[in-house]
Amino acid sequence: VQLQASGGGLVQPGGSLRLSCAASGRIFSSYGVGWFRQAPGKEREFVAVIRWGYGTTYYADSVKGRFTISRDKAKNTVYLQMNSLKPEDTAVYYCAAVRGWSTKSSDYDYWGQGTLVTVSS
């Protein structure tokens, strides 16, 4: 599985962005696709994950109620809709795939390149 993330950019606080993660190759129903982020000088942290087959989702507390993860099976793509963005959401965002379900980056087998999100006025 190869993943390609896109959709980052500069947005003002309170604004919205939608990230996309396009996959080439088959994503099996048992896989989870997640989003992680890494801010300068900080460790990579979990953001959200969706189970490809059932569509079950799980979010980090820091983004719950503001971010929504979804998938389009026909397009083999996972999205991260980010609303009410805050300066502390500034980071490089990565999508990744895992066999099963996890919030730990070390469990993920496949990674896309990052896309930079900057929240600033």
Coordinates of all heavy atoms in Angstrom, one line a residue, residues 30-118:
S30 N -9.8 -5.2 7.0 CA -9.2 -5.3 8.4 C -8.2 -4.2 8.7 O -7.7 -4.1 9.8 CB -8.5 -6.7 8.5 OG -7.5 -6.8 7.6
Y31 N -7.9 -3.4 7.8 CA -6.9 -2.3 8.0 C -7.6 -1.1 8.6 O -8.8 -0.8 8.5 CB -6.3 -1.9 6.7 CG -5.1 -2.7 6.2 CD1 -5.2 -4.1 6.1 CD2 -4.0 -2.1 5.7 CE1 -4.1 -4.8 5.7 CE2 -2.9 -2.8 5.3 CZ -3.0 -4.1 5.3 OH -1.9 -4.9 4.8
G32 N -6.7 -0.4 9.3 CA -7.1 0.9 9.8 C -6.2 2.0 9.1 O -5.1 1.7 8.8
V33 N -6.8 3.1 8.9 CA -6.0 4.2 8.3 C -6.1 5.4 9.3 O -7.2 5.8 9.6 CB -6.6 4.6 6.9 CG1 -5.7 5.8 6.4 CG2 -6.5 3.5 5.9
G34 N -4.9 5.9 9.6 CA -4.9 6.9 10.6 C -4.2 8.2 10.2 O -3.5 8.2 9.2
W35 N -4.4 9.2 10.9 CA -3.7 10.5 10.8 C -2.9 10.7 12.0 O -3.4 10.6 13.1 CB -4.6 11.6 10.5 CG -5.3 11.7 9.2 CD1 -6.5 11.1 8.8 CD2 -4.7 12.2 8.0 NE1 -6.7 11.3 7.5 CE2 -5.6 12.0 6.9 CE3 -3.5 12.9 7.7 CZ2 -5.4 12.4 5.6 CZ3 -3.3 13.3 6.4 CH2 -4.2 13.1 5.4
F36 N -1.6 11.2 11.8 CA -0.8 11.6 12.9 C -0.2 13.0 12.5 O -0.3 13.4 11.4 CB 0.4 10.6 13.0 CG 0.0 9.3 13.5 CD1 -0.5 8.3 12.7 CD2 0.2 8.9 14.9 CE1 -0.9 7.1 13.2 CE2 -0.2 7.7 15.4 CZ -0.7 6.8 14.5
R37 N 0.3 13.7 13.5 CA 0.9 15.0 13.3 C 2.2 15.1 14.1 O 2.3 14.5 15.2 CB -0.1 16.1 13.5 CG -0.5 16.2 15.0 CD -1.6 17.3 15.1 NE -2.0 17.5 16.5 CZ -3.0 18.3 16.8 NH1 -3.8 18.9 15.9 NH2 -3.3 18.4 18.1
Q38 N 3.0 16.0 13.6 CA 4.3 16.3 14.3 C 4.6 17.7 14.2 O 4.8 18.2 13.1 CB 5.4 15.4 13.8 CG 6.7 15.5 14.6 CD 7.7 14.5 14.2 OE1 7.6 13.8 13.2 NE2 8.7 14.2 15.2
A39 N 4.6 18.4 15.3 CA 4.9 19.8 15.4 C 6.4 20.0 15.6 O 7.1 19.0 16.1 CB 4.1 20.5 16.5
P40 N 7.0 21.1 15.2 CA 8.4 21.3 15.4 C 8.9 21.1 16.8 O 8.3 21.6 17.8 CB 8.6 22.8 15.0 CG 7.5 23.0 14.1 CD 6.3 22.3 14.6
G41 N 9.9 20.3 17.0 CA 10.4 20.0 18.3 C 9.6 19.1 19.2 O 9.9 18.9 20.4
K42 N 8.5 18.5 18.6 CA 7.7 17.6 19.4 C 7.6 16.2 18.8 O 8.0 16.0 17.6 CB 6.3 18.2 19.5 CG 6.2 19.5 20.3 CD 4.8 19.9 20.5 CE 4.7 21.1 21.4 NZ 3.2 21.5 21.6
E43 N 7.2 15.3 19.5 CA 7.0 13.9 19.0 C 5.8 13.8 18.2 O 4.8 14.6 18.3 CB 7.0 12.9 20.2 CG 8.2 12.8 21.0 CD 8.2 11.7 22.0 OE1 7.1 11.1 22.2 OE2 9.2 11.4 22.7
R44 N 5.8 12.8 17.3 CA 4.6 12.5 16.5 C 3.5 12.1 17.4 O 3.7 11.2 18.3 CB 5.0 11.5 15.4 CG 3.9 11.3 14.4 CD 4.4 10.4 13.2 NE 5.6 11.0 12.6 CZ 6.1 10.5 11.5 NH1 5.6 9.4 10.9 NH2 7.2 11.1 10.9
E45 N 2.3 12.6 17.1 CA 1.2 12.2 18.0 C 0.0 11.8 17.1 O -0.2 12.2 16.0 CB 0.7 13.4 18.8 CG 0.2 14.6 18.1 CD -0.4 15.7 19.1 OE1 -0.4 15.4 20.3 OE2 -0.8 16.7 18.6
F46 N -0.8 10.9 17.7 CA -2.0 10.4 17.1 C -3.1 11.5 17.0 O -3.3 12.3 17.9 CB -2.5 9.2 17.9 CG -3.9 8.8 17.5 CD1 -4.1 8.0 16.4 CD2 -5.0 9.1 18.3 CE1 -5.4 7.6 16.1 CE2 -6.2 8.7 18.0 CZ -6.4 7.9 16.9
V47 N -3.8 11.5 15.8 CA -4.9 12.4 15.6 C -6.2 11.7 15.5 O -7.2 11.9 16.3 CB -4.7 13.3 14.4 CG1 -5.9 14.2 14.1 CG2 -3.4 14.1 14.5
A48 N -6.3 10.8 14.6 CA -7.6 10.0 14.3 C -7.3 8.8 13.5 O -6.3 8.7 12.9 CB -8.6 10.9 13.6
V49 N -8.2 7.8 13.6 CA -8.1 6.6 12.9 C -9.5 6.1 12.5 O -10.4 6.3 13.2 CB -7.3 5.5 13.7 CG1 -8.1 5.1 15.0 CG2 -7.1 4.2 12.8
I50 N -9.5 5.5 11.3 CA -10.8 4.9 10.8 C -10.6 3.5 10.4 O -9.5 3.2 9.8 CB -11.4 5.7 9.7 CG1 -12.8 5.2 9.3 CG2 -10.5 5.8 8.5 CD1 -13.6 6.2 8.4
R51 N -11.5 2.6 10.8 CA -11.4 1.2 10.3 C -12.0 1.1 8.9 O -13.1 1.5 8.7 CB -12.1 0.3 11.3 CG -11.8 -1.2 11.1 CD -12.6 -2.0 12.0 NE -12.3 -1.8 13.4 CZ -11.4 -2.5 14.1 NH1 -10.6 -3.4 13.4 NH2 -11.2 -2.3 15.4
W52 N -11.1 0.6 8.0 CA -11.5 0.7 6.6 C -12.8 0.0 6.3 O -13.7 0.4 5.6 CB -10.4 0.2 5.7 CG -10.7 0.4 4.2 CD1 -11.1 -0.6 3.4 CD2 -10.5 1.6 3.5 NE1 -11.2 0.0 2.1 CE2 -10.9 1.3 2.2 CE3 -10.1 2.9 3.9 CZ2 -10.9 2.3 1.2 CZ3 -10.1 3.8 2.9 CH2 -10.5 3.5 1.6
G53 N -13.0 -1.2 6.9 CA -14.2 -2.0 6.6 C -15.4 -1.5 7.2 O -16.4 -1.2 6.5
Y54 N -15.4 -1.2 8.5 CA -16.7 -0.9 9.2 C -16.9 0.7 9.3 O -18.0 1.1 9.6 CB -16.7 -1.4 10.6 CG -16.8 -2.9 10.7 CD1 -15.7 -3.7 11.1 CD2 -18.0 -3.5 10.5 CE1 -15.8 -5.1 11.1 CE2 -18.1 -4.9 10.5 CZ -17.0 -5.7 10.9 OH -17.1 -7.0 10.9
G55 N -15.8 1.4 9.1 CA -15.9 2.9 9.2 C -15.9 3.4 10.6 O -16.1 4.5 10.9
T56 N -15.6 2.5 11.6 CA -15.4 2.9 13.0 C -14.3 3.9 13.1 O -13.3 3.8 12.5 CB -15.1 1.7 13.8 OG1 -16.0 0.7 13.5 CG2 -15.3 2.1 15.3
T57 N -14.6 5.0 13.9 CA -13.6 6.0 14.1 C -13.2 6.2 15.5 O -13.9 5.8 16.5 CB -14.1 7.4 13.5 OG1 -15.3 7.7 14.3 CG2 -14.4 7.3 12.1
Y58 N -12.0 6.8 15.7 CA -11.5 7.1 17.1 C -10.6 8.4 17.0 O -9.9 8.5 16.0 CB -10.7 6.0 17.6 CG -10.3 6.2 19.1 CD1 -11.2 6.1 20.1 CD2 -9.0 6.5 19.4 CE1 -10.8 6.3 21.4 CE2 -8.6 6.7 20.7 CZ -9.5 6.6 21.7 OH -9.1 6.8 23.0
Y59 N -10.8 9.3 17.9 CA -10.1 10.5 17.9 C -9.2 10.8 19.2 O -9.6 10.4 20.2 CB -11.1 11.7 17.7 CG -11.9 11.6 16.5 CD1 -13.1 11.0 16.4 CD2 -11.4 12.3 15.3 CE1 -13.9 10.9 15.3 CE2 -12.2 12.2 14.1 CZ -13.4 11.5 14.1 OH -14.1 11.5 13.0
A60 N -8.2 11.6 19.0 CA -7.5 12.1 20.1 C -8.4 13.1 20.8 O -9.1 13.8 20.1 CB -6.2 12.7 19.7
D61 N -8.2 13.2 22.1 CA -9.1 14.2 22.8 C -8.9 15.6 22.3 O -9.8 16.4 22.4 CB -8.7 14.1 24.3 CG -9.3 12.9 25.0 OD1 -10.2 12.2 24.4 OD2 -8.8 12.5 26.1
S62 N -7.7 15.9 21.9 CA -7.3 17.3 21.5 C -8.1 17.7 20.3 O -8.2 19.0 20.0 CB -5.8 17.4 21.3 OG -5.4 16.5 20.3
V63 N -8.6 16.8 19.5 CA -9.3 17.2 18.2 C -10.7 16.7 18.2 O -11.4 17.1 17.3 CB -8.5 16.6 17.0 CG1 -7.1 17.0 17.0 CG2 -8.7 15.1 16.9
K64 N -11.2 16.0 19.2 CA -12.5 15.5 19.2 C -13.5 16.7 19.2 O -13.4 17.6 19.9 CB -12.7 14.7 20.5 CG -13.9 13.7 20.5 CD -13.9 12.9 21.7 CE -12.7 12.0 21.8 NZ -12.7 11.1 23.0
G65 N -14.5 16.5 18.3 CA -15.5 17.6 18.1 C -15.1 18.6 17.1 O -16.0 19.4 16.7
R66 N -13.9 18.6 16.7 CA -13.4 19.6 15.7 C -13.0 18.9 14.4 O -13.2 19.5 13.3 CB -12.2 20.4 16.2 CG -12.5 21.2 17.5 CD -11.4 22.1 17.8 NE -10.1 21.4 18.1 CZ -9.0 21.6 17.5 NH1 -8.9 22.5 16.5 NH2 -7.9 20.9 17.8
F67 N -12.4 17.7 14.5 CA -11.9 17.0 13.3 C -12.8 15.8 13.0 O -13.4 15.2 14.0 CB -10.5 16.5 13.5 CG -9.4 17.5 13.6 CD1 -9.7 18.9 13.7 CD2 -8.1 17.2 13.6 CE1 -8.7 19.9 13.8 CE2 -7.1 18.1 13.6 CZ -7.4 19.4 13.7
T68 N -13.0 15.5 11.7 CA -13.7 14.3 11.3 C -13.0 13.5 10.3 O -12.5 14.1 9.3 CB -15.1 14.8 10.7 OG1 -15.8 15.5 11.7 CG2 -15.9 13.5 10.4
I69 N -12.8 12.3 10.6 CA -12.1 11.4 9.6 C -13.2 10.6 8.9 O -14.2 10.1 9.5 CB -11.1 10.4 10.4 CG1 -10.3 9.7 9.4 CG2 -11.8 9.5 11.4 CD1 -9.1 8.9 10.0
S70 N -13.0 10.4 7.6 CA -13.9 9.6 6.8 C -13.2 8.9 5.7 O -12.0 9.2 5.5 CB -15.0 10.5 6.2 OG -14.5 11.5 5.4
R71 N -13.9 8.0 5.0 CA -13.2 7.3 3.9 C -14.2 7.1 2.8 O -15.4 7.0 3.0 CB -12.6 6.0 4.3 CG -13.6 4.8 4.2 CD -14.1 4.4 5.4 NE -14.8 3.1 5.5 CZ -16.1 3.0 5.5 NH1 -16.9 4.1 5.2 NH2 -16.7 1.9 5.7
D72 N -13.7 7.2 1.5 CA -14.4 6.9 0.3 C -13.8 5.7 -0.3 O -12.8 5.7 -0.9 CB -14.3 8.1 -0.6 CG -15.2 8.0 -1.8 OD1 -15.4 6.9 -2.3 OD2 -15.7 9.0 -2.3
K73 N -14.5 4.6 -0.2 CA -14.0 3.3 -0.7 C -13.8 3.3 -2.2 O -12.8 2.8 -2.7 CB -14.9 2.2 -0.3 CG -14.8 1.8 1.2 CD -15.6 0.6 1.5 CE -15.4 0.1 2.9 NZ -16.2 -1.2 3.2
A74 N -14.7 4.0 -2.9 CA -14.6 4.0 -4.3 C -13.4 4.7 -4.8 O -12.8 4.4 -5.9 CB -15.9 4.6 -4.9
K75 N -13.0 5.7 -4.0 CA -11.8 6.5 -4.4 C -10.6 6.1 -3.7 O -9.5 6.7 -3.9 CB -12.1 8.0 -4.1 CG -13.2 8.6 -5.0 CD -13.3 10.1 -4.7 CE -14.4 10.7 -5.6 NZ -14.6 12.2 -5.4
N76 N -10.7 5.1 -2.8 CA -9.6 4.6 -2.1 C -8.9 5.7 -1.3 O -7.6 5.8 -1.3 CB -8.6 3.9 -3.0 CG -8.2 2.5 -2.5 OD1 -9.0 1.8 -1.9 ND2 -7.0 2.0 -2.9
T77 N -9.7 6.6 -0.7 CA -9.2 7.8 -0.1 C -9.8 8.0 1.3 O -10.9 7.7 1.5 CB -9.5 9.0 -1.0 OG1 -8.9 8.9 -2.3 CG2 -9.0 10.3 -0.4
V78 N -8.9 8.5 2.2 CA -9.3 8.9 3.5 C -9.2 10.4 3.7 O -8.2 10.9 3.2 CB -8.5 8.1 4.6 CG1 -8.8 8.7 6.0 CG2 -8.8 6.6 4.5
Y79 N -10.1 11.0 4.3 CA -10.1 12.4 4.5 C -10.1 12.8 6.0 O -10.5 12.0 6.9 CB -11.4 13.0 3.9 CG -11.6 12.7 2.5 CD1 -12.5 11.7 2.1 CD2 -11.0 13.5 1.5 CE1 -12.7 11.4 0.8 CE2 -11.2 13.2 0.2 CZ -12.0 12.1 -0.2 OH -12.2 11.9 -1.5
L80 N -9.5 13.9 6.2 CA -9.5 14.5 7.6 C -10.0 15.9 7.5 O -9.3 16.8 7.0 CB -8.1 14.5 8.2 CG -8.1 15.0 9.7 CD1 -8.8 14.0 10.6 CD2 -6.7 15.2 10.2
Q81 N -11.3 16.1 7.8 CA -11.9 17.5 7.8 C -11.6 18.1 9.2 O -11.9 17.6 10.2 CB -13.4 17.4 7.7 CG -14.1 18.7 7.7 CD -13.8 19.6 6.6 OE1 -13.7 19.1 5.4 NE2 -13.5 20.9 6.8
M82 N -10.9 19.3 9.1 CA -10.4 20.0 10.3 C -11.1 21.3 10.4 O -11.0 22.2 9.5 CB -8.9 20.2 10.2 CG -8.1 18.9 10.0 SD -6.4 19.1 10.1 CE -6.1 20.1 8.7
N83 N -11.9 21.5 11.4 CA -12.7 22.7 11.6 C -12.2 23.4 12.9 O -11.5 22.8 13.7 CB -14.2 22.5 11.7 CG -14.7 21.9 10.4 OD1 -14.3 22.1 9.3 ND2 -15.7 21.0 10.6
S84 N -12.5 24.7 13.1 CA -12.2 25.4 14.3 C -10.7 25.3 14.6 O -10.3 25.0 15.7 CB -13.0 25.0 15.5 OG -14.4 25.1 15.2
L85 N -9.9 25.4 13.6 CA -8.4 25.2 13.7 C -7.8 26.2 14.7 O -8.2 27.4 14.8 CB -7.7 25.3 12.4 CG -7.9 24.0 11.6 CD1 -7.6 24.2 10.1 CD2 -7.0 22.9 12.1
K86 N -6.8 25.7 15.4 CA -6.1 26.5 16.4 C -4.6 26.6 16.1 O -4.1 25.7 15.4 CB -6.3 25.9 17.8 CG -7.7 25.7 18.3 CD -7.7 24.9 19.6 CE -9.2 24.6 20.0 NZ -9.2 23.9 21.3
P87 N -3.9 27.6 16.5 CA -2.5 27.7 16.3 C -1.7 26.4 16.7 O -0.8 26.0 16.1 CB -2.0 28.9 17.1 CG -3.2 29.8 17.1 CD -4.4 28.8 17.2
E88 N -2.2 25.8 17.8 CA -1.6 24.5 18.3 C -1.8 23.3 17.4 O -1.2 22.3 17.6 CB -2.0 24.2 19.7 CG -3.5 24.2 19.9 CD -4.0 25.5 20.5 OE1 -3.5 26.6 20.0 OE2 -4.8 25.5 21.4
D89 N -2.7 23.5 16.4 CA -2.8 22.4 15.4 C -1.8 22.4 14.3 O -1.7 21.6 13.4 CB -4.2 22.5 14.7 CG -5.4 22.3 15.7 OD1 -5.3 21.3 16.5 OD2 -6.4 23.0 15.6
T90 N -0.9 23.5 14.3 CA 0.1 23.6 13.3 C 1.1 22.4 13.4 O 1.6 22.1 14.5 CB 0.9 24.9 13.5 OG1 0.0 26.0 13.3 CG2 2.1 25.0 12.6
A91 N 1.3 21.7 12.3 CA 2.1 20.5 12.3 C 2.2 20.0 10.9 O 1.5 20.4 10.0 CB 1.6 19.5 13.3
V92 N 3.1 19.0 10.7 CA 3.1 18.2 9.5 C 2.2 17.0 9.8 O 2.4 16.4 10.8 CB 4.5 17.7 9.2 CG1 4.5 16.8 7.9 CG2 5.4 18.9 8.9
Y93 N 1.2 16.8 8.9 CA 0.3 15.8 9.1 C 0.6 14.6 8.2 O 0.9 14.8 7.0 CB -1.2 16.3 8.8 CG -1.7 17.1 9.9 CD1 -1.2 18.4 10.2 CD2 -2.7 16.6 10.7 CE1 -1.7 19.2 11.2 CE2 -3.3 17.4 11.8 CZ -2.7 18.7 12.0 OH -3.2 19.4 13.0
Y94 N 0.6 13.4 8.8 CA 0.9 12.2 8.0 C -0.3 11.2 8.1 O -1.0 11.1 9.1 CB 2.1 11.5 8.7 CG 3.4 12.2 8.7 CD1 3.6 13.1 9.8 CD2 4.3 12.1 7.7 CE1 4.8 13.8 9.8 CE2 5.5 12.8 7.7 CZ 5.7 13.7 8.8 OH 6.9 14.4 8.8
C95 N -0.5 10.5 7.0 CA -1.5 9.4 7.0 C -0.7 8.1 7.0 O 0.4 8.1 6.5 CB -2.5 9.5 5.9 SG -1.8 9.4 4.2
A96 N -1.3 7.1 7.6 CA -0.6 5.8 7.7 C -1.7 4.7 7.7 O -2.8 4.9 8.1 CB 0.3 5.8 8.9
A97 N -1.2 3.5 7.4 CA -2.1 2.3 7.4 C -1.6 1.2 8.3 O -0.3 1.1 8.4 CB -2.3 1.8 6.0
V98 N -2.5 0.6 9.0 CA -2.1 -0.5 10.0 C -3.0 -1.7 9.8 O -4.2 -1.5 9.5 CB -2.1 0.1 11.4 CG1 -3.6 0.5 11.8 CG2 -1.6 -0.9 12.4
R99 N -2.4 -2.9 10.0 CA -3.2 -4.1 10.0 C -3.9 -4.1 11.4 O -3.3 -4.2 12.4 CB -2.4 -5.3 9.8 CG -1.7 -5.4 8.5 CD -0.9 -6.7 8.4 NE -0.2 -6.8 7.1 CZ 0.9 -6.3 6.8 NH1 1.6 -5.6 7.7 NH2 1.5 -6.4 5.6
G100 N -5.2 -3.9 11.3 CA -5.9 -3.9 12.6 C -6.3 -2.5 13.0 O -6.8 -1.7 12.2
W101 N -5.9 -2.1 14.2 CA -6.4 -0.9 14.8 C -5.4 -0.4 15.9 O -5.1 -1.2 16.7 CB -7.8 -1.2 15.5 CG -8.4 -0.1 16.2 CD1 -8.3 0.2 17.5 CD2 -9.3 0.9 15.7 NE1 -9.1 1.3 17.8 CE2 -9.7 1.7 16.7 CE3 -9.8 1.1 14.4 CZ2 -10.6 2.8 16.5 CZ3 -10.7 2.2 14.2 CH2 -11.1 3.0 15.3
S102 N -5.0 0.8 15.8 CA -4.0 1.3 16.8 C -4.0 2.8 16.8 O -4.3 3.4 15.8 CB -2.6 0.7 16.5 OG -1.7 1.2 17.4
T103 N -3.5 3.3 17.9 CA -3.3 4.7 18.1 C -1.8 5.0 18.2 O -1.3 6.1 18.4 CB -4.0 5.3 19.3 OG1 -3.5 4.7 20.5 CG2 -5.5 5.2 19.1
K104 N -1.0 3.9 18.1 CA 0.5 4.0 18.3 C 1.2 4.1 17.0 O 1.0 3.1 16.1 CB 1.0 2.8 19.1 CG 0.5 2.8 20.5 CD 0.8 1.5 21.2 CE 2.3 1.1 21.2 NZ 2.6 -0.1 21.8
S105 N 2.0 5.1 16.7 CA 2.6 5.2 15.4 C 3.5 4.0 15.1 O 3.7 3.6 13.9 CB 3.4 6.5 15.3 OG 4.4 6.6 16.3
S106 N 4.1 3.4 16.1 CA 5.0 2.3 15.9 C 4.3 1.1 15.4 O 5.0 0.2 14.8 CB 5.8 2.0 17.2 OG 4.9 1.7 18.2
D107 N 3.0 1.0 15.5 CA 2.3 -0.1 15.0 C 2.0 0.0 13.5 O 1.6 -1.0 12.9 CB 1.0 -0.3 15.7 CG 1.2 -0.8 17.2 OD1 2.2 -1.4 17.5 OD2 0.3 -0.5 18.0
Y108 N 2.1 1.1 12.9 CA 1.7 1.4 11.5 C 2.8 0.9 10.6 O 4.0 1.1 10.8 CB 1.4 2.8 11.3 CG 0.0 3.2 11.8 CD1 -0.2 3.2 13.2 CD2 -1.0 3.5 11.0 CE1 -1.5 3.5 13.7 CE2 -2.3 3.8 11.5 CZ -2.5 3.8 12.8 OH -3.8 4.1 13.3
D109 N 2.3 0.2 9.5 CA 3.2 -0.4 8.5 C 3.5 0.5 7.3 O 4.6 0.4 6.7 CB 2.6 -1.7 8.0 CG 2.2 -2.6 9.2 OD1 3.1 -3.0 9.9 OD2 1.0 -3.0 9.3
Y110 N 2.5 1.3 7.0 CA 2.7 2.1 5.7 C 2.4 3.6 6.0 O 1.5 3.9 6.7 CB 1.7 1.6 4.7 CG 1.7 0.1 4.4 CD1 0.8 -0.7 5.1 CD2 2.6 -0.4 3.6 CE1 0.9 -2.1 4.8 CE2 2.7 -1.8 3.3 CZ 1.8 -2.6 4.0 OH 1.9 -4.0 3.8
W111 N 3.3 4.4 5.5 CA 3.2 5.8 5.7 C 3.3 6.6 4.4 O 4.0 6.3 3.5 CB 4.4 6.3 6.6 CG 4.3 5.8 8.0 CD1 4.7 4.6 8.5 CD2 3.7 6.5 9.1 NE1 4.4 4.5 9.9 CE2 3.8 5.7 10.3 CE3 3.2 7.8 9.3 CZ2 3.4 6.1 11.5 CZ3 2.7 8.2 10.5 CH2 2.8 7.3 11.6
G112 N 2.5 7.7 4.4 CA 2.6 8.7 3.3 C 3.6 9.8 3.7 O 4.0 9.9 4.8
Q113 N 3.9 10.6 2.7 CA 4.7 11.8 3.0 C 3.8 12.8 3.8 O 2.6 12.7 3.8 CB 5.3 12.4 1.8 CG 4.4 13.4 1.1 CD 3.1 12.9 0.5 OE1 2.8 11.7 0.5 NE2 2.3 13.8 0.0
G114 N 4.4 13.7 4.5 CA 3.6 14.6 5.3 C 3.1 15.8 4.4 O 3.6 16.1 3.4
T115 N 2.1 16.4 5.0 CA 1.6 17.7 4.4 C 1.5 18.7 5.5 O 1.0 18.4 6.6 CB 0.2 17.4 3.7 OG1 -0.2 18.7 3.1 CG2 -0.9 17.0 4.7
L116 N 2.0 19.9 5.3 CA 2.1 20.9 6.3 C 0.9 21.7 6.5 O 0.3 22.2 5.5 CB 3.3 21.8 6.0 CG 3.5 23.0 7.0 CD1 3.9 22.5 8.4 CD2 4.7 23.9 6.4
V117 N 0.4 21.8 7.7 CA -0.7 22.6 8.1 C -0.2 23.7 9.0 O 0.4 23.4 10.1 CB -1.8 21.8 8.8 CG1 -2.9 22.8 9.3 CG2 -2.4 20.8 7.8
T118 N -0.4 25.0 8.6 CA 0.0 26.1 9.4 C -1.2 26.9 9.8 O -2.0 27.4 8.9 CB 1.0 27.0 8.7 OG1 2.1 26.2 8.3 CG2 1.5 28.1 9.6

